[in-house]
């Protein structure tokens, strides 16, 4: 069985996954981001350019459910849950630079992972209790 990658290093692949996740075309994304034409998006798709900080800011402002860590570093998943999406949207309004935003997002993701682990532990305990009866 093929193992799914958890980090996408290729910018063209990231852009393709982004478009698939949002269920839009490169032209739609260009219009949504306020670009005069779609060349900025196609340059990323074709490998000529990388996804830069300005593009990341625009994408997150328009599509707050897109995972900042995915755009910046290729860390899956492409989309984040609604609570994290709102946090990202709020942070882009408050944070002047992306390094500060990255630190805050990493803390949010770590918190989410801890909560997920705790829920899994609770679920295991509940299953154990049910099976004992």
């Amino acid at each position: 069985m093929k193992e799914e990658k958890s980090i996408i290093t290729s910018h063209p692949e990231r852009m393709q996954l982004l478009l698939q996740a949002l269920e839009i075309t490169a032209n739609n994304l260009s219009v949504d981001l306020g670009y005069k034409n779609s060349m900025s998006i196609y340059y990323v798709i074709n490998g000529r350019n990388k996804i830069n900080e300005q593009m990341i800011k625009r994408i997150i402002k328009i599509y707050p459910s897109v995972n900042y860590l995915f755009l910046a570093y290729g860390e899956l998943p492409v989309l984040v849950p609604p609570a994290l999406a709102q946090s990202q949207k709020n942070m882009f309004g408050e944070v002047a630079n992306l390094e500060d935003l990255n630190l805050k997002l990493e803390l949010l993701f770590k918190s989410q992972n801890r909560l997920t682990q705790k829920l899994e532990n609770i679920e295991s305990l509940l299953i154990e209790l049910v099976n004992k009866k």
Side-chain angles (χ1 to χ4, degrees), residues 40-74:
S40 294
I41 304 302
Y42 283 110
Y43 286 156
V44 174
I45 291 171
N46 294 326
R48 178 176 171 186
N49 292 347
K50 294 181 178 182
I51 300 171
N52 61 38
E53 288 185 21
Q54 181 185 16
M55 185 179 288
I56 291 171
K57 277 185 172 182
R58 285 182 172 195
I59 291 170
I60 300 268
K61 282 183 180 180
I62 303 300
Y63 299 102
S65 63
V66 174
N67 183 358
Y68 167 80
L69 295 175
F70 171 74
L71 292 174
Y73 305 107

Side-chain angles (χ1 to χ4, degrees), residues 81-129:
L84 279 175
Q86 185 58 49
S87 295
Q88 285 189 151
K89 189 173 183 177
N90 293 345
M91 280 190 266
F92 264 99
E94 298 169 12
V95 178
N97 71 47
L98 291 177
E99 288 180 26
D100 290 345
L101 176 63
N102 187 32
L103 292 173
K104 287 185 177 185
L105 283 174
E106 284 180 24
L107 288 173
L108 282 172
F109 283 109
K110 286 177 183 177
S111 295
Q112 180 189 19
N113 288 337
R114 282 192 294 268
L115 288 172
T116 301
Q117 185 62 46
K118 286 179 182 180
L119 287 172
E120 288 171 357
N121 290 342
I122 291 169
E123 182 182 32
S124 296
L125 290 171
L126 287 172
I127 290 170
E128 219 175 280
L129 284 171

Side-chain angles (χ1 to χ4, degrees), residues 6-57:
S6 61
I7 297 196
I8 308 299
T9 57
S10 160
H11 286 261
E13 190 176 350
R14 279 188 220 167
M15 184 58 72
Q16 290 291 354
L17 288 171
L18 174 66
L19 294 173
Q20 288 172 4
L22 296 174
E23 298 178 349
I24 60 173
T25 65
N27 288 330
N28 296 136
L29 182 61
S30 296
V31 169
D32 292 348
L33 299 181
Y35 291 137
K36 291 181 182 175
N37 61 52
S38 57
M39 293 314 296
S40 294
I41 304 302
Y42 283 110
Y43 286 156
V44 174
I45 291 171
N46 294 326
R48 178 176 171 186
N49 292 347
K50 294 181 178 182
I51 300 171
N52 61 38
E53 288 185 21
Q54 181 185 16
M55 185 179 288
I56 291 171
K57 277 185 172 182

